[in-house]
Amino acid sequence: CKEVLLPNPALYSAVIFGRISVSDGKGASEALLEMDAAGFAPHQRFLIRCLRLMGPFHEEGLFLIERLGCGTADMTQKLFHVLMEACGTSPDPSSSVMDVYTAFQASGLTSTP
């Protein structure tokens, strides 16, 4: 796509969600990073939309939070919570949630009561 068409955020979006739909979490996260590198930084709402579908690929979701989730502590906390909720669709939900929770704690954020 990149060689034939000019950079367009709609193309990146189609590739990202297309890859998620065919269970290619790594491909989706690579496309998100390419989108960012092309100058189309994904806004927080777009990132949340992606993370809601990344439960089966929670490792990739954690990588995206690390790379693209910069912002306020509240916003980063929300990204972790969205990914934790998405883990309900993973093949091993309890293990996936624990992985995300462990990464959440390692980030230095605290959970809300």
Side-chain angles (χ1 to χ4, degrees):
C1 276
K2 291 190 303 186
E3 296 170 8
V4 177
L5 302 170
L6 293 174
N8 181 333
L11 285 175
Y12 286 106
S13 182
V15 169
I16 292 162
F17 289 105
R19 289 182 179 175
I20 289 173
S21 72
V22 296
S23 300
D24 183 9
K26 185 162 179 60
S29 65
E30 288 172 355
L32 254 166
L33 294 176
E34 286 178 23
M35 179 179 166
D36 183 52
F40 304 111
H43 51 77
Q44 297 296 332
R45 193 178 65 204
F46 185 83
L47 192 52
I48 286 171
R49 235 178 102 206
C50 293
L51 290 174
R52 281 193 181 122
L53 302 171
M54 297 289 282
F57 329 105
H58 71 280
E59 297 94 353
E60 295 299 326
L62 289 171
F63 178 70
L64 290 173
I65 291 171
E66 180 185 317
R67 292 286 304 271
L68 301 174
C70 54
T72 66
D74 288 342
M75 191 62 217
T76 304
Q77 182 180 28
K78 182 174 184 169
L79 295 175
F80 276 108
H81 285 171
V82 166
L83 185 57
M84 274 187 229
E85 290 173 0
C87 286
T89 61
S90 76
D92 185 7
S94 55
S95 175
S96 299
V97 168
M98 283 308 298
D99 290 347
V100 175
Y101 184 69
T102 301
F104 173 76
Q105 287 182 315
S107 73
L109 296 170
T110 57
S111 56
T112 55

